[in-house]
Amino acid sequence: MTNVVFDIGNVLIHWDPRALYAKIFDSEEEVDWFLTHVCNADWNLEQDRGRSFEAAIAEAAARHPDYAEAIAAYNHRWHETILGPIDGTVAILSELKARGTPLYAITNFNQHKFRETLQRFPFLQPSFRDIVVSGDEGVVKPDPAIYRLLLDRNGLEAASCLFIDDSPKNVTGAEAVGMKAHHFTSPEALRAELVGLRLLDG
């Protein structure tokens, strides 16, 4: 195992749209309904696939005109859904880099919002030899094509890579193309896995 491939959202930085909508709606029930029926995960995934936020807002507002203002907030207040770095994982990233471990990333992320995120969290860009951003490529995890894109673009063997992601589906997708994969639940559990693989010292 020589290469480590990170997801970014909810592995290295906290992303939670509930943090924004808890400020907009008066109850958790309203937040739940909105994020289930209006700006839900499938709708958001299309932005990760490359759809512009402007087009997405227009589409959702046409379906739910009574929620137009709240829908628009998903775009112009999007920065409020990013709560900061996950410090324990950032520390692991720094340790791996200091050891000379080749580091890569595959992230489901809208291309324009990802550029904003790089400006806000400048530690991201120089940490990785390559970052595959779904919005740039028009393909999202767990499609096998996005993992193979990283492998082919960088001349990597799947078996030489450890992929880290908070989504079980994305972990399964990586394993399907031959990568070893870790389902991220906490920095502590990740550190234990990396120590076990001798990628970090105990």
Side-chain angles (χ1 to χ4, degrees):
M1 193 79 51
T2 57
N3 307 291
V4 179
V5 185
F6 281 84
D7 177 31
I8 291 177
N10 292 329
V11 173
L12 286 163
I13 57 174
H14 290 280
W15 175 74
D16 185 3
R18 295 185 67 88
L20 168 60
Y21 286 100
K23 303 173 188 176
I24 293 174
F25 296 114
D26 295 328
S27 70
E28 288 189 15
E29 290 76 15
E30 288 178 287
V31 174
D32 287 340
W33 188 90
F34 182 85
L35 292 176
T36 300
H37 297 283
V38 185
C39 294
N40 59 28
D42 289 341
W43 174 85
N44 182 70
L45 192 64
E46 293 310 305
Q47 284 80 271
D48 288 348
R49 204 187 305 275
R51 176 172 65 177
S52 74
F53 268 66
E54 292 76 15
I57 298 305
E59 186 277 333
R63 286 188 286 112
H64 296 279
D66 291 347
Y67 287 90
E69 186 174 347
I71 293 166
Y74 207 100
N75 183 20
H76 69 259
R77 295 177 63 181
W78 183 85
H79 60 279
E80 295 177 53
T81 70
I82 301 290
L83 306 182
I86 299 174
D87 292 332
T89 320
V90 174
I92 289 169
L93 183 73
S94 297
E95 291 173 46
L96 289 170
K97 185 177 181 182
R99 291 170 65 101
T101 305
L103 302 174
Y104 301 87
I106 304 173
T107 183
N108 280 358
F109 223 118
N110 175 268
Q111 63 276 28
H112 304 297
K113 297 303 186 188
F114 187 67
R115 305 296 182 264
E116 293 179 22
T117 302
L118 287 180
Q119 292 181 359
R120 185 171 168 188
F121 301 103
F123 75 86
L124 288 170
Q125 187 75 57
S127 297
F128 300 107
R129 297 186 178 192
D130 189 19
I131 304 175
V132 174
V133 179
S134 63
D136 286 326
E137 308 301 339
V139 61
V140 295
K141 295 176 292 186
D143 189 318
I146 197 167
Y147 307 97
R148 293 191 182 116
L149 177 61
L150 178 84
L151 298 173
D152 294 346
R153 198 155 80 185
N154 294 280
L156 304 176
E157 293 292 331
S160 73
C161 298
L162 173 68
F163 177 72
I164 301 159
D165 201 294
D166 64 300
S167 164
K169 290 191 302 183
N170 296 344
V171 165
T172 300
E175 291 172 335
V177 301
M179 291 176 160
K180 182 174 176 59
H182 173 84
H183 177 213
F184 180 84
T185 57
S186 71
E188 294 76 18
L190 175 59
R191 181 176 291 278
E193 170 107 353
L194 293 169
V195 168
L197 292 171
R198 298 186 178 179
L199 290 167
L200 285 180
D201 296 326

